[in-house]
Amino acid sequence: MEEFHNTAYPTISGDLMSDHFQFSDKDSLPKPDVQIITSNGLRIPAHTGILALVSPVLENIIERPRKHRSSEKTIPILGVPCEAVSAFIQFLYSSRCSEEELEKYGIHLLALSHVYLVPQLKHRCSRAVGQRLTIENVVDVLQLARLCDSPDLYLKCMRMLSSNFKAVEKTEGWKFMHENDPFLELEILQFIDEDESRKKRTRRHREEQRLYMELSEAMECLEHICTEGCTTVGPCDLEPSKKRDPCDKFSICEGLQLLIKHFAICKNRVNGKCSRCKRMWQLLRLHSSICDQTDSCRVPLCRQFKLKMQLEKKGGETLWRLLVKKVASARAMSSLSLLKRKREEPRETMHDHGIRNFRL
């Protein structure tokens, strides 16, 4: 440890120090027995007992043997503004740090709290610096977060970089880092690539869940049409009503009714040349796979499909079972969250009058 002897540094007196640091009981403080030396030579009197109690690093420095026993105890804290050192010592005494100090010296206090192992101050500084991130300083703060082992601040910087990469790339901080720290640049680019992959996976998962939900609702509408009827289409053994009111899922029911009408008159529904008829066959098979009331079910071909599936083993059986499982799960979730969905905004109209192509 570097010692300072007989140097005419400006000093904060004991009374001024007590006023500056806002101690609760000024009379109970013993005489300061150590001097904190700042970069501009300011001397801040302090107490070794308090410093050692709060910071294990300062405790090791204080207990380190000195070359001259009679010399004054000094601890140099250099490389940061003296106001930041003053705010740091104040926190060691009072566990308080003003918002103004955090705004002006948050970066310096973060470095000091990391070097001298003061976790409470480090947490506050990390949060304060993260709240004041900008496009211009995000690269510098990211480097500091790495050096100070601040994962929350590091992640926040990375997310800002990922969201505003084009703008950050034009800053002086990025240009300097690009020329002097290629490993950090690679780390950032890898994070951005992984972040984009995560977003794509999330979007794909949401799209799949939306498809399963739409198929689940289509199954409900199919049962509703074949059991009760809806507007212009209904079961053959019921007298057609002159006026049926649309159901609460008419946007889907309407598409199914059009599909059923086409399926009933299409000449190519058996030979597989009609894509709309293929969709209808798939819906009927999907219903049969989910239906647990085969004996009383009124959906056409439900029992026949079940028997056929029991007798046949196809190469795509695993994929089909996965689809059935997902749609059944979506159907269960739909019934559980019915009240919640009623409060949400109306769904967008599905393509092709409510029935979407899906690959099996």
Side-chain angles (χ1 to χ4, degrees):
M1 179 186 67
E2 184 179 356
E3 299 284 352
F4 293 82
H5 308 287
N6 302 322
T7 308
Y9 293 127
T11 307
I12 297 178
S13 66
D15 292 336
L16 288 176
M17 182 185 69
S18 298
D19 293 335
H20 181 70
F21 291 135
Q22 302 174 1
F23 301 130
S24 59
D25 189 358
K26 300 177 185 178
D27 296 333
S28 65
L29 284 174
K31 184 178 179 180
D33 55 354
V34 66
Q35 297 285 330
I36 307 298
I37 310 298
T38 66
S39 294
N40 68 347
L42 178 68
R43 301 169 69 93
I44 303 175
H47 302 81
T48 56
I50 294 177
L51 300 184
L53 183 65
V54 180
S55 168
V57 176
L58 289 174
E59 181 182 17
N60 290 335
I61 294 175
I62 291 168
E63 293 179 352
R64 191 180 302 167
R66 289 177 290 155
K67 294 180 181 179
H68 307 284
R69 288 287 178 182
S70 60
S71 63
E72 182 185 30
K73 288 183 180 179
T74 60
I75 300 176
I77 299 181
L78 312 176
V80 296
C82 62
E83 294 84 357
V85 178
S86 178
F88 176 66
I89 300 300
Q90 176 181 334
F91 186 88
L92 298 184
Y93 274 82
S94 64
S95 296
R96 290 195 297 267
C97 193
S98 68
E99 289 298 321
E100 182 181 357
E101 290 170 333
L102 288 173
E103 183 174 0
K104 288 183 178 179
Y105 310 111
I107 290 177
H108 305 99
L109 290 172
L110 176 60
L112 290 173
S113 62
H114 173 71
V115 170
Y116 293 101
L117 298 181
V118 185
Q120 187 180 359
L121 178 59
K122 182 176 179 179
H123 175 72
R124 288 195 59 187
C125 291
S126 296
R127 186 171 55 185
V129 172
Q131 291 171 349
R132 295 169 175 84
L133 275 180
T134 65
I135 298 297
E136 294 295 328
N137 71 6
V138 64
V139 174
D140 296 330
V141 175
L142 174 64
Q143 292 174 311
L144 179 65
R146 289 175 79 218
L147 292 173
C148 294
D149 189 23
S150 178
D152 292 340
L153 183 58
Y154 172 88
L155 184 58
K156 195 164 188 176
C157 291
M158 281 294 199
R159 285 174 175 169
M160 176 174 276
L161 274 164
S162 179
S163 302
N164 305 275
F165 182 70
K166 293 296 183 183
V168 173
E169 205 174 14
K170 299 175 183 178
T171 62
E172 292 299 323
W174 176 271
K175 293 175 183 177
F176 181 84
M177 183 269 298
H178 173 72
E179 295 176 358
N180 297 276
D181 196 344
F183 293 104
L184 178 57
E185 182 181 12
L186 178 61
E187 189 175 323
I188 293 171
L189 295 177
Q190 287 177 337
F191 179 91
I192 293 174
D193 182 64
E194 292 172 1
D195 188 50
E196 286 298 320
S197 298
R198 281 193 297 270
K199 289 178 180 178
K200 288 180 180 178
R201 287 195 299 270
T202 301
R203 285 194 296 266
R204 185 168 61 249
H205 177 72
R206 288 177 179 172
E207 182 65 19
E208 289 174 354
Q209 293 303 313
R210 189 158 65 118
L211 172 60
Y212 298 142
M213 186 62 70
E214 290 173 357
L215 287 171
S216 170
E217 293 175 344
M219 295 298 98
E220 294 177 10
C221 289
L222 182 62
E223 293 175 13
H224 160 63
I225 291 171
C226 295
T227 305
E228 305 167 1
C230 184
T231 60
T232 61
V233 179
C236 60
D237 57 348
L238 290 181
E239 288 293 331
S241 175
K242 293 183 179 180
K243 184 178 180 181
R244 288 194 183 103
D245 293 329
C247 64
D248 57 350
K249 296 179 181 178
F250 185 66
S251 61
I252 301 176
C253 266
E254 184 182 23
L256 266 175
Q257 291 180 60
L258 294 173
L259 195 59
I260 291 171
K261 288 179 179 180
H262 169 83
F263 186 76
I265 61 175
C266 183
K267 297 179 180 180
N268 295 319
R269 68 171 180 265
V270 178
N271 57 24
K273 293 182 179 180
C274 178
S275 60
R276 298 186 70 186
C277 289
K278 282 183 180 179
R279 234 176 303 158
M280 191 67 212
W281 284 117
Q282 291 170 344
L283 288 173
L284 292 171
R285 184 187 176 195
L286 182 59
H287 162 81
S288 178
S289 301
I290 296 173
C291 182
D292 55 358
Q293 298 177 350
T294 308
D295 295 334
S296 59
C297 182
R298 306 196 56 160
V299 176
L301 305 177
C302 179
R303 184 181 300 177
Q304 288 84 339
F305 269 116
K306 275 198 179 295
L307 292 174
K308 186 176 181 181
M309 285 186 288
Q310 290 173 1
L311 296 174
E312 294 182 357
K313 295 293 182 179
K314 296 187 177 181
E317 189 69 22
T318 302
L319 186 59
W320 179 262
R321 286 179 180 176
L322 179 61
L323 176 64
V324 171
K325 182 179 178 181
K326 294 289 187 180
V327 175
S329 175
R331 191 173 185 179
M333 293 299 296
S334 176
S335 61
L336 291 174
S337 61
L338 181 61
L339 294 177
K340 179 179 178 181
R341 288 194 291 114
K342 284 183 178 180
R343 296 193 296 266
E344 294 178 351
E345 296 180 1
R347 296 181 305 275
E348 297 179 0
T349 304
M350 292 188 298
H351 300 299
D352 196 10
H353 302 283
I355 303 297
R356 178 181 293 190
N357 281 318
F358 57 95
R359 201 176 283 177
L360 301 179

